[in-house]
Amino acid sequence: MVTKTSSTRGAAQDAIDAGAGILRLEPCWVPRTFMIPGRRLRLHPDDLYALGAHRGGINERWFSSTTHASNGPGTPDDEGLSYVRTENGARVLFKSLVDEGGDLLLGVSTMQREGGWNLLCKFFDNMGAIPHHLHQNDAFAKLVDQKGKPEAYYFPPQYNQIENAFPFTFMGLEPGTTKDDVRRCLEDWSKGDNGILFLSRAYRLQPGTGCQIDPGILHAPGSLVTYEPQVNSDVFSMFQSLVDGRVVDRSLLTKDVRPEYHNDLDYLVSMLDWDANVNPEFAKTNRAFPRPVHGGEHDGETGYREQWVSYGTPWYSAKELTVMPRRTVTIKDAAAYGLILTQGHGTIGRHHVSTPAMIRFGEMTEDELFVAADVAREGIRIENLSDAEPLVILKHFGPGNPDNPTSPLA
């Protein structure tokens, strides 16, 4: 049973009790100007520009989010923030429940250490490549009152039957590249293509694998649907001036840079983690391959298999759980987590879950939940109701999950 703590009250207590420690969340759609939606997030094609063409197409879905999207002027106050749908149909901001009842949702020790749900997880779905960019580290982000942002990638096969226009990601810089080389690219910003990709290399993206991108590493994500656990920050700096023939406004280079440094090219280059970018074994260090949770496959007598798809960093971790047809399992985890289905239907605790084929903007789905810490530790009963297909679930954990393997990516 979920234990009440002194910090638990009001709507948080009601929502947690009503869901038996498992919250049902609404889809949280985020548009991006300059991006072209990849059309694989199962959002109805008529709704790809539901917030208006001037806001950009919807190419992201955020999960159990307490992070406001940094989308410039005109961004609604709740853009990027997840809503919980209660048993009586009411809508409550997930952030308000964490603020009000975080001890109950996340656990007392996590709230004391983190002060909240310090994770942003999303599906990213673009038609083609996006500009070479970096996310600032804590020191640079703090100067603009934000947090540094590492992020992990996993390419779920169920969302990647179609590769779209550019199934490659540029990452890092070629060994031997100099800071003056990058500086010249910034000098050439207004000349069209500033040539930053000539200094990088592209990696073919493989469904069922992933990457780890630490702060300060340049990367230009390609066109596979990407599951992205990351620190809950929307800080970035674009280093590429032209992509797919589209001009990148220079303001996106300096969006999260103090005004006095906007034209200081040496400062902008200093935001790069140089050694990490020119690492001659970049792929070995930064590509990630799934690792079995229990040291081997568990799909015979146990009825399921589970693997880490993000691990080895202190910031977050993620698992992929597959439950076989007509099997029922009880799964325990050491920390609270959000989850999203990628295939199948069944039950998780008292909640019926199903993977949607098509979603209308503003409509509820049955594919996203958040599991409170106590319930995760006690174990959740999961039943696959299909006679034919597996039930596949991605689970994202914040910092401090004691089960997260501490060894580096393999």
Side-chain angles (χ1 to χ4, degrees):
M1 294 296 293
V2 178
T3 303
K4 182 175 178 179
T5 69
S6 60
S7 66
T8 306
R9 59 181 68 85
Q13 179 70 66
D14 293 343
I16 293 167
D17 287 349
I22 303 176
L23 306 180
R24 189 180 290 281
L25 290 93
E26 299 179 358
C28 177
W29 304 108
V30 175
R32 296 294 195 183
T33 57
F34 186 79
M35 308 291 188
I36 301 175
R39 298 173 175 262
R40 293 163 297 184
L41 297 185
R42 300 171 184 171
L43 182 63
H44 193 286
D46 290 348
D47 295 339
L48 292 170
Y49 292 86
L51 296 168
H54 66 290
R55 298 289 325 286
I58 294 173
N59 69 342
E60 296 185 4
R61 180 177 172 184
W62 292 16
F63 306 126
S64 54
S65 170
T66 61
T67 305
H68 183 249
S70 179
N71 276 341
T75 305
D77 291 341
D78 63 350
E79 189 157 283
L81 299 177
S82 292
Y83 279 89
V84 171
R85 185 71 65 92
T86 65
E87 295 290 304
N88 63 6
R91 303 173 71 238
V92 183
L93 275 174
F94 178 61
K95 184 180 188 303
S96 70
L97 299 186
V98 172
D99 291 344
E100 181 180 292
D103 285 1
L104 182 59
L105 275 173
L106 308 182
V108 174
S109 62
T110 296
M111 286 299 293
Q112 289 176 343
R113 184 185 66 249
E114 301 293 332
W117 176 241
N118 289 333
L119 176 74
L120 171 60
C121 193
K122 66 173 76 170
F123 277 158
F124 172 77
D125 175 33
N126 210 50
M127 182 61 69
I130 70 171
H132 219 29
H133 67 282
L134 61 79
H135 302 290
Q136 287 86 337
N137 64 22
D138 283 333
F140 286 109
K142 186 176 181 180
L143 297 176
V144 290
D145 299 320
Q146 296 199 57
K147 293 190 294 187
K149 181 180 173 181
E151 59 187 12
Y153 299 162
Y154 176 67
F155 310 114
Q158 296 85 355
Y159 275 80
N160 281 301
Q161 297 96 333
I162 298 172
E163 293 182 330
N164 278 358
F166 195 80
F168 305 86
T169 286
F170 282 90
M171 291 187 284
L173 296 166
E174 283 283 357
T177 301
T178 68
K179 293 181 181 180
D180 284 342
D181 292 332
V182 177
R183 194 183 193 280
R184 280 191 291 273
C185 291
L186 299 184
E187 290 174 349
D188 291 342
W189 192 277
S190 61
K191 295 182 180 180
D193 184 354
N194 67 347
I196 189 72
L197 293 187
F198 292 127
L199 307 179
S200 185
R201 67 176 65 173
Y203 298 82
R204 180 70 184 267
L205 301 181
Q206 180 182 359
T209 71
C211 308
Q212 171 61 36
I213 301 295
D214 289 350
I217 292 180
L218 286 168
H219 55 293
S223 60
L224 291 196
V225 175
T226 310
Y227 171 69
E228 300 186 14
Q230 55 197 245
V231 168
N232 56 332
S233 171
D234 207 12
V235 65
F236 66 82
S237 178
M238 297 292 187
F239 271 59
Q240 185 178 349
S241 63
L242 193 73
V243 61
D244 286 342
R246 291 168 288 135
V247 173
V248 180
D249 193 278
R250 193 180 186 279
S251 64
L252 296 178
L253 169 67
T254 59
K255 177 183 82 74
D256 295 306
V257 174
R258 288 173 59 167
E260 60 264 35
Y261 298 121
H262 281 193
N263 296 306
D264 186 338
L265 302 188
D266 292 324
Y267 176 89
L268 296 175
V269 172
S270 75
M271 294 191 299
L272 293 167
D273 181 335
W274 195 256
D275 289 341
N277 277 282
V278 299
N279 176 7
E281 294 190 316
F282 188 95
K284 180 179 178 180
T285 304
N286 292 83
R287 291 196 66 196
F289 298 89
R291 174 183 294 184
V293 170
H294 304 288
E297 293 291 323
H298 280 247
D299 58 359
E301 294 183 3
T302 61
Y304 76 98
R305 63 176 178 266
E306 194 168 33
Q307 59 184 5
W308 293 101
V309 296
S310 173
Y311 54 90
T313 80
W315 303 298
Y316 41 66
S317 55
K319 295 178 179 180
E320 182 182 67
L321 170 67
T322 301
V323 181
M324 302 306 152
R326 283 295 171 189
R327 299 301 294 267
T328 300
V329 299
T330 298
I331 302 295
K332 296 183 179 181
D333 284 286
Y337 60 90
L339 68 83
I340 181 73
L341 270 65
T342 60
Q343 185 177 355
H345 72 283
T347 60
I348 298 178
R350 62 182 293 177
H351 300 271
H352 184 269
V353 293
S354 61
T355 308
M358 187 73 72
I359 310 170
R360 294 308 304 252
F361 183 84
E363 286 187 347
M364 190 60 180
T365 59
E366 295 182 322
D367 62 340
E368 184 182 357
L369 301 171
F370 186 87
V371 179
D374 284 352
V375 174
R377 285 189 288 265
E378 291 167 6
I380 301 176
R381 183 180 183 274
I382 301 175
E383 182 178 7
N384 183 349
L385 295 176
S386 173
D387 290 325
E389 68 173 332
L391 174 63
V392 185
I393 302 164
L394 293 172
K395 305 191 291 185
H396 28 279
F397 301 84
N401 177 8
D403 286 346
N404 179 14
T406 56
S407 57
L409 303 177

